[in-house]
Amino acid sequence: MKLSKYLNIGVAICISSFFLFISSSESYWIPFWKFFNIPNQIPPFSDLDSINRALLSLKQGFNPYLENPNDITGGKYIYPKIWLYIFDFLNLQNNLNLKIFCFLIITLYFFLILDLISKYNNKLFYIIGIVFIFSKINLLIIERFNIDIIIFVLSWLIIIYSKFYIKLFLYILSFSLKIYPLFSILIFLENKKKFFLTLTISLILLVIFSEDIIMIKSNMIPYAMMIAYGFETLARGIYHYSIHMNFIINDENYIIFKNIVILSGFLYSLLIFSINFKLGRKKIYSQLSFEENLFLLGGGIYVGTYLVATNIDFRLIFLFFTIPLLIQNNKNIFVYIYIIFYLICINSLFFEVGSRYTISYAIKSFIIHGMKFYIYSFIIYYIGKLLNKIVEIKFR
């Protein structure tokens, strides 16, 4: 076991060193990503660069949520403000500090992936892991250095630490960094007192960050592509086709239509959840397994973000946490369908080509989003099954 961990650390260091090396020159960076057909940006790790540029705007007296003149694309700031303070404190505007930061995070990220894969002596999981590492979305997330990588690492640490207050600290940190880890709160449901403490803190943080959340939401682009997911994404896609084809949905009624889609999605979710979750007295288990908690964490993030926002596929990396539980039930045909659909969806960038108003693109979009909706439905069904084991709602 120790030898395996050392090997994983060594491989992760090599991978991280390689990415740092090719980021040192455009002549290395651009051809590498073109070889894998990944849209690349300059400078390397552009998402980190955008935070540094927003920090510069802040220091110049601008509110980067409203005015961000130093951003290369002219875009406004779209992350919680805490990142600006972290970058300032760590002095990540210094190139050497930034490279050290990237090296450490990428090393941790790949070590955790390799460590999870090697934890199970399962050929299917090895195959899934290899496809995941070389998937379009994983390569894109590295090219951008999207900060979901950091949330992925923090999420893993939340699971492996057993002491509640360490888990709570890591949860609060991840929540403060990206908000959506709120949906990983399901992993605290085993203990009602700890869950309600965590929920109370989460609600307080939502109030504290409410202004940032409103600004971030207003600055986010409502994606309507194959490499995005969520009920709002579906509504937005239908809206664009309706405008193009001069159908019913237009600028005047889009908000109503979007809210109907989200509300319908919420009611559908309750229906699927209720299939496995039973009310009243029942046998309650003291705790869930490691794999079950991993599933709740990764699945909870996907389901929560699917319900409330339009999301680029970066967050599909959290669905990797759902796989260990499912490979234990790999005789189930629905599990195989889930895995196949997941491996296709994390490579949906491959299909994101051609005009968006052609029949072929519409068919591809319908298939890809249908797969993501299947994954969403499957996870809700399974979450109902897991929560039914640890949550009892009694009526007097």
Side-chain angles (χ1 to χ4, degrees), residues 7-24:
L7 178 61
N8 290 339
I9 291 172
V11 172
I13 288 174
C14 290
I15 293 173
S16 185
S17 300
F18 172 76
F19 283 121
L20 262 292
F21 171 73
I22 65 171
S23 71
S24 63

Side-chain angles (χ1 to χ4, degrees), residues 22-23 25-33 41-42 44-45 143:
I22 65 171
S23 71
S25 171
E26 291 183 19
S27 61
Y28 301 142
W29 186 258
I30 295 175
F32 175 80
W33 296 112
Q41 294 183 349
I42 297 296
F45 308 132
E143 194 280 333

Side-chain angles (χ1 to χ4, degrees), residues 245-367:
M245 305 297 291
N246 197 27
F247 289 157
I248 298 173
I249 311 302
N250 52 43
D251 293 329
E252 295 180 357
N253 57 30
Y254 169 67
I255 299 299
I256 297 174
F257 172 71
K258 181 185 75 171
N259 291 336
I260 290 174
V261 170
I262 294 173
L263 177 60
S264 300
F266 179 75
L267 295 175
Y268 167 82
S269 306
L270 285 179
L271 177 63
I272 299 299
F273 178 81
S274 66
I275 294 174
N276 277 325
F277 188 85
K278 308 303 178 185
L279 301 174
R281 286 187 175 276
K282 57 192 172 185
K283 182 180 179 180
I284 296 296
Y285 293 79
S286 59
Q287 62 181 17
L288 296 176
S289 68
F290 172 80
E291 291 79 13
E292 288 171 332
N293 274 308
L294 263 183
F295 187 96
L296 284 180
L297 188 150
I301 288 176
Y302 180 74
V303 166
T305 52
Y306 199 110
L307 265 173
V308 304
T310 171
N311 314 267
I312 287 293
D313 282 352
F314 290 142
R315 285 165 204 161
L316 293 184
I317 63 173
F318 292 99
L319 290 181
F320 192 66
F321 288 144
T322 66
I323 303 299
L325 178 62
L326 298 183
I327 60 173
Q328 297 175 353
N329 302 296
N330 60 12
K331 293 182 180 180
N332 187 324
I333 184 63
F334 297 105
V335 170
Y336 279 116
I337 294 172
Y338 176 97
I339 292 171
I340 292 170
F341 283 3
Y342 176 57
L343 297 181
I344 293 173
C345 288
I346 58 177
N347 288 286
S348 59
L349 182 62
F350 178 81
F351 305 99
E352 190 70 68
V353 293
S355 171
R356 294 181 182 174
Y357 297 107
T358 60
I359 295 297
S360 62
Y361 188 92
I363 293 172
K364 287 187 295 182
S365 294
F366 180 81
I367 292 172

Side-chain angles (χ1 to χ4, degrees), residues 12 45 92 118 145 153 164 171 218 222 242 253 259 302 309 356 363:
F45 308 132
L92 295 185
S118 61
F145 203 108
V153 172
F164 169 68
Y171 167 80
S218 65
S242 180
N253 57 30
N259 291 336
Y302 180 74
R356 294 181 182 174
I363 293 172

